[in-house]
Amino acid sequence: MRIFLIDTQIIKKALIKSNSPRSAVETHAAEFKATPHNYFMKGKGIEMNTPDYRTYKDVKINPDLSGAMTDLRAVTGNTMDLNIMFVKVSGVDCAVATIEAMTSTSAMSELIFRPLMNLELHKKSNAEGVFSFLTEESLLAAERKTVFTYGDVIQYLFSGFAVIFVESLSKAVVYSIQGYDKRSVSTPESEQTIKAAQDSFTETIRTNLSLIRRRMKTPSLRFEMMQIGKRSSTDVCMMYMCDRASSETVDALRKQLSKIKLDTVLTTGYIEPFIDESFGSSVFSQMSYSERPDMICTRLNQGRICILVDGTPFCIICPALFAENFQTMDDYCEKPYYVTFMRWLKYIAFFLAVAFPGLYVALANFHPEVFTLKLLLNLAVSEEATPYPLTAEVFMLMVLFEIMKEAGLRLPKSVGSAVSIVGGLIIGDAAVKSGLISAPLLIVVGITATSSFVIPSLNQQTTILRLVYILVGGCSGLYGIAVCTLLLIANINAMDDFAISYTAPVTPFFPKGITDVISRKSFKSYERTESTMKEYREKRGEKS
């Protein structure tokens, strides 16, 4: 006799009737309350071995159809979105389990229900015959698998598959008929281009894989799907080209991903700390992000490994190089001389975004002789009217700028533009007229803010480094700025995840790839050869 729903009161009554001591009654009740799935009423013939949400993963499917459905309901807590339909297929009892709103109703009707209802197996009308038809003699769906445990059943069931159970068989077949709602492919939001492609990734990993495969029609492009997250079982796909990527890097990254034991993985940020060796020790990161399929294809062709996570439209690129933050897909649509100009313009913008306010504070406080006499007199008059020291004034103004920028990002788009109007026109103009800040300082902050928007991929780094440079410049002048810059360069050069230097191909120097740092090679040179991460890795090995 199997009991599926039972509580501690039932156990107490059963044991009291059997004249068990009170201490034994309490012991049995406590044991059942702690581990109900492992509790057995000894000597009473009552076995409570139905799997629950803690023990279901490795439990074999019950060959009894009604028992299997009871087990499935027990594992899921009889959740309201679980749909179970009992049907007879050629005289054999079967059951179809789905999750509401996760499957396509029309696809399930045309591809599964209609063929099964019309099935007549005259020669071998038994359970094995029906299962053989489902798995070998029919094409009911593009993807189908045979599963043997409740763990696999739950994994596919909650991924939008339909699961078919057959009476007297301890296995089931799953069919891919997903039909959940998803966002359509749209234009990139964070990586705008003029002449390049205008499509971007979505939150559905299968759609993202198709966007990549459509561009890279080569058998060397490999997709490795895995599930990470003990509770979420999130699909994570590792992508690489077997003839371009280093096999050592692929093996190392695969091993790192397999060691992640988080309960849930909802975005790419959940797994980055586990694969980025310098995540907690460096300002910069050797992992970059992109929502553009064409950018991912470019990086794959260069020997990178890319990671897609189901539920997020951004893809991780590893390892990334510092110089790639100044490159865009539009670089491959323009003439080389214009690309060279724009690339150096971005280098200058990065310098201004990081060091310009700190240099202004250092020169004004410690080295005023570098200014011309007329400019120095103007600065002195402007700063004399303000009530705060220059360092505190610049620091507070930069913090205020970050507050307004964050408010503009988090507010709805319909009112986000109002923040720039209030901050730039009303607050800025009123602060200058009231004498709280000087006009030259407002110009410095404006140039710094505009420069920071040129390299959005380095927004986190420029924000923090800018404040550090202001404090260091205000305390130590150019000497502090120089020391801070040397420490930053040393920290960047120390980054070498997967044996690839973050500053390659500058250090270690690699002539074959240096052209793409200062300019852009012509496409004729790409016909002859193209530098890959494997070559950078080999070059670093020679240097060491």
Side-chain angles (χ1 to χ4, degrees), residues 425-441:
L425 298 181
I426 301 176
I427 297 179
D429 182 64
V432 173
K433 289 182 178 179
S434 62
L436 293 177
I437 61 174
S438 62
L441 180 56

Side-chain angles (χ1 to χ4, degrees), residues 241-295:
M241 297 185 71
C242 62
D243 57 341
R244 292 276 185 169
S246 169
S247 58
E248 293 85 356
T249 304
V250 173
D251 294 338
L253 188 57
R254 185 188 297 115
K255 186 176 181 180
Q256 290 176 345
L257 290 173
S258 64
K259 290 182 178 180
I260 299 177
K261 303 301 180 184
L262 294 175
D263 284 341
T264 59
V265 175
L266 303 179
T267 66
T268 51
Y270 279 62
I271 64 176
E272 183 182 357
F274 295 91
I275 61 178
D276 187 358
E277 298 175 3
S278 59
F279 185 81
S281 60
S282 179
V283 178
F284 293 86
S285 173
Q286 213 162 345
M287 306 290 157
S288 64
Y289 291 83
S290 179
E291 62 173 340
R292 299 184 60 89
D294 50 0
M295 177 62 76

Side-chain angles (χ1 to χ4, degrees), residues 91-112:
V92 178
D93 290 332
C94 298
V96 181
T98 59
I99 295 296
E100 185 179 348
M102 291 288 289
T103 57
S104 171
T105 305
S106 58
M108 190 162 53
S109 301
E110 293 296 327
L111 300 179
I112 295 182

Side-chain angles (χ1 to χ4, degrees), residues 220 240-250 299-305 318-319 321 498-501 504 510 512 530-542:
S220 63
Y240 60 94
M241 297 185 71
C242 62
D243 57 341
R244 292 276 185 169
S246 169
S247 58
E248 293 85 356
T249 304
V250 173
R299 300 306 180 214
L300 288 171
N301 193 49
Q302 294 172 350
R304 316 300 174 88
I305 304 172
C318 57
L321 304 180
F498 305 106
I500 303 294
S501 177
F510 189 52
K512 188 177 176 182
E530 185 172 355
S531 57
T532 64
M533 291 297 102
K534 188 185 296 186
E535 294 175 339
Y536 287 153
R537 185 186 179 101
E538 294 171 354
K539 184 72 175 179
R540 183 181 181 276
E542 294 174 2

Side-chain angles (χ1 to χ4, degrees), residues 17-52:
K17 287 183 179 180
S18 62
N19 297 322
S20 299
R22 183 176 181 83
S23 59
V25 174
E26 298 295 338
T27 300
H28 281 285
E31 181 184 351
F32 171 75
K33 190 173 183 180
T35 55
H37 49 283
N38 294 330
Y39 182 85
F40 294 92
M41 290 184 66
K42 299 177 181 179
K44 299 300 177 182
I46 301 177
E47 180 181 347
M48 290 171 291
N49 58 351
T50 298
D52 62 8

Side-chain angles (χ1 to χ4, degrees), residues 208-225:
N208 298 339
L209 293 177
S210 67
L211 293 174
I212 296 173
R213 180 64 74 180
R214 180 166 58 88
R215 288 174 165 86
M216 302 293 286
K217 304 177 182 69
T218 171
S220 63
L221 176 58
R222 307 295 168 81
F223 296 154
E224 292 187 15
M225 191 73 73

